[in-house]
Amino acid sequence: MASRPVAVIAALAVAGLTLGPVAAVLARAGGWAALGPGDLDALRFTVWQALLSALFSVALAIPAARALARRRFAGRGLLVALLGAPFILPVIVAVLGLIAVFGQNGLLNGALRAAGLPTVSIYGLHGVVLAHVFFNLPLATRMILQGWLAIPAERFRLAASLGLTPGALFRMLEWPMLLRIAPSAFAVIFVICLSSFAVALTLGGGPRATTVELAIYQAVRFEFDLGRAALLAVIQLGLAMAAGLVALVLARGTGFGAGLDRQVARWDGQGRAARLGDAAWIVLVAAFLLTPLAMVVARGVPGLGQLGADAWEAARHSLLVALASTALCLAWALPLATRRGEVLGLAGIAVSPLVIGTGLFLIVRPFANPFALALPVTTLVNALVALPFALRILAPQAEAVRRDFGRLSAGLGLTPLAWLRLVLLPRLRRPLGFAAGLTAALSMGDLGVIALFGDPDRETLPLHVYRLMGAYRTEAAAGGALVLLALSLGLFWAFDRGGRVGAEA
């Protein structure tokens, strides 16, 4: 098993990189400041929209993941890979796709006008929740799907041989798995939505739909009130850590033990109603998630010819940052893949990225030019931000392996390296591939710290696209966004597929 000193070092690194920047900001500000008049409203809106977003994402993901777990059809593997696209899509690109479908002049309102019905607005609370469900429904689906696939196939064969009804099978096998996985998925999505910035900025619709992260941005950008920004960041951190602790308490429960690691056909859900229901869920979820992506592709193809050499250099920077972030994140996650490690890892997305970026800027500045370290700093922060997702994916399976094989390995006297090579890594192959793909794709689309440190010689592709949009070169920006989408999906597919080779997805 992973040695305790390695886990302690990894934990100290996470704690230092999340709390250190906040301390640096506080030191620069000279202490805490009072909350502004609209901060309490922003806090209430943040919690409410995060609750709704997490609730709808998980509720819709359960039937979709169940349908994917028990159906086999041509193109299923490709669909499973594509369902991860919205979550790994750069936020501003995804928002453009949603506006193309649900905006005032989008496909939906065009159809409503043609039918003589009133149109709908994408702006406000419902727009923010819609965008968050678009981003997080695939994540919830993949997390719950992994839980369904982790149930040993022999259990389903035993259920079939005993003649269990669908209701009894759900109570005996599926409901315990959902109690173990769904609360954690809810908490992870809740934490993600707590720090919503770009979605609230573009679809929030004004002061009544302002999140805490937006309030931090206003405090830093327009008022340079670092004390107030740090206080808001600490409040956000407290909310996120509390949500994580609640989820871990609710998610307690054992798995189904070890199977023979082989695929056995499913006998449940073979009735006509079940097949039609599964097909309907797969089609609806696929249409909801993939139509905006199709609109991004349609609008991006004409702009590919307008991309210059600087765009491809920025793409190279993004690839290097993504691969390095992935290696660092997995090296971090393996020794921390426990319940305590998950709680600590939540800090990576619970603390405001804007505050982390500002704090790192203040820490680095006395020793080196922070702009020269833009790419290494971005790599470090991207690995930290992706760590909670990697831990949520790896921890359940890693704990099951320790529970099922820990005594045997102790009896055999395996060294930590032999345990890692012979026992842990072979059984984590599928979640490791998924975690690596997710980390690489998120890093490819990041537009956070690099926006603070990046200059034209060290910009990444998301920053290059953002600058093209600011220069009103919309067609070139659309082309760059399409390249960014292709690279993000390509990295995700390559890692995820690599983890599933020889195993059923």
Side-chain angles (χ1 to χ4, degrees):
M1 297 182 212
S3 61
R4 184 173 294 275
V6 175
V8 170
I9 292 172
L12 289 176
V14 172
L17 286 171
T18 51
L19 299 180
V22 176
V25 170
L26 271 178
R28 176 66 175 81
W32 304 102
L35 294 177
D39 290 338
L40 290 180
D41 290 336
L43 182 60
R44 280 192 289 268
F45 177 82
T46 300
V47 173
W48 182 235
Q49 61 83 21
L51 282 172
L52 291 178
S53 301
L55 177 64
F56 283 119
S57 297
V58 174
L60 294 173
I62 290 174
R66 190 190 198 198
L68 288 170
R70 64 184 185 182
R71 300 298 166 200
R72 298 294 180 271
F73 51 89
R76 175 180 175 276
L78 177 62
L79 177 61
V80 170
L82 287 176
L83 285 182
F87 184 75
I88 60 182
L89 197 65
V91 174
I92 194 65
V93 177
V95 167
L96 290 174
L98 288 172
I99 290 175
V101 177
F102 299 100
Q104 190 61 31
N105 297 315
L107 298 179
L108 176 62
N109 280 325
L112 291 176
R113 288 192 196 93
L117 298 174
T119 60
V120 296
S121 172
I122 196 175
Y123 298 101
L125 173 64
H126 51 283
V128 172
V129 173
L130 175 71
H132 285 163
V133 172
F134 174 79
F135 281 115
N136 296 301
L137 174 58
L139 174 65
T141 301
R142 291 297 299 268
M143 291 174 68
I144 296 173
L145 178 60
Q146 294 295 330
W148 241 298
L149 295 176
I151 300 175
E154 288 78 9
R155 302 298 190 273
F156 288 103
R157 186 167 63 179
L158 178 61
S161 65
L162 294 175
L164 293 185
T165 64
L169 185 144
F170 180 78
R171 289 194 302 273
M172 297 296 294
L173 292 181
E174 297 175 319
W175 180 243
M177 181 278 296
L178 289 174
L179 283 180
R180 190 164 53 91
I181 302 294
S184 298
F186 180 95
V188 170
I189 295 172
F190 179 81
V191 173
I192 294 171
C193 296
L194 276 182
S195 59
S196 176
F197 172 65
V199 168
L201 182 67
T202 52
L203 299 177
R208 296 179 60 184
T210 296
T211 61
V212 172
E213 192 72 6
L214 261 181
I216 293 173
Y217 171 77
Q218 292 165 356
V220 174
R221 176 75 174 177
F222 301 114
E223 304 166 18
F224 202 65
D225 191 344
L226 295 181
R228 179 170 151 244
L231 179 57
L232 288 169
V234 170
I235 292 173
Q236 186 169 278
L237 173 63
L239 283 173
M241 298 305 288
L245 290 173
V246 169
L248 288 176
V249 170
L250 293 177
R252 283 181 179 174
T254 59
F256 294 90
L260 299 178
D261 294 339
R262 65 182 182 180
Q263 180 186 358
V264 177
R266 295 277 298 268
W267 285 271
D268 59 306
Q270 298 305 312
R272 183 178 181 182
R275 290 200 302 271
L276 289 176
D278 286 349
W281 274 109
I282 291 172
V283 169
L284 286 174
V285 169
F288 172 66
L289 298 175
L290 299 182
T291 302
L293 298 183
M295 297 300 293
V296 171
V297 174
R299 296 185 176 186
V301 170
L304 289 176
Q306 299 188 23
L307 295 178
D310 50 349
W312 300 110
E313 179 65 11
R316 189 179 72 85
H317 289 160
S318 289
L319 276 173
L320 292 175
V321 168
L323 294 175
S325 296
T326 302
L328 180 59
C329 181
L330 293 186
W332 234 337
L334 279 174
L336 291 177
T338 63
R339 287 185 178 276
R340 291 180 179 176
E342 278 195 84
V343 174
L344 183 64
L346 281 174
I349 54 173
V351 177
S352 166
L354 295 175
V355 172
I356 291 179
T358 305
L360 287 175
F361 182 91
L362 295 172
I363 293 172
V364 169
R365 191 173 59 174
F367 309 102
N369 179 5
F371 297 100
L373 299 175
L375 296 181
V377 170
T378 301
T379 297
L380 185 63
V381 175
N382 285 353
L384 182 65
V385 171
L387 183 61
F389 306 108
L391 287 173
R392 182 79 295 268
I393 295 167
L394 294 175
Q397 189 67 15
E399 290 203 323
V401 173
R402 293 189 188 98
R403 184 171 55 249
D404 296 334
F405 297 96
R407 289 185 178 178
L408 178 61
S409 67
L412 295 174
L414 292 182
T415 65
L417 183 61
W419 160 266
L420 187 70
R421 183 172 61 85
L422 299 176
V423 181
L424 188 61
L425 289 182
R427 283 163 177 79
L428 291 183
R429 183 177 55 183
R430 188 164 52 200
L432 267 176
F434 181 37
L438 194 61
T439 302
L442 288 175
S443 184
M444 273 296 304
D446 175 69
L447 184 59
V449 176
I450 191 65
L452 294 175
F453 290 88
D455 58 26
D457 294 330
R458 300 175 183 84
E459 64 181 1
T460 58
L461 188 54
L463 181 58
H464 185 73
V465 172
Y466 176 76
R467 286 172 172 166
L468 287 174
M469 294 174 64
Y472 298 101
R473 296 177 59 189
T474 54
E475 287 195 6
L482 180 57
V483 173
L484 183 58
L485 173 62
L487 291 174
S488 299
L489 289 179
L491 282 175
F492 178 80
W493 179 85
F495 281 114
D496 189 45
R497 178 61 181 167
R500 289 188 287 114
V501 169
E504 190 63 21

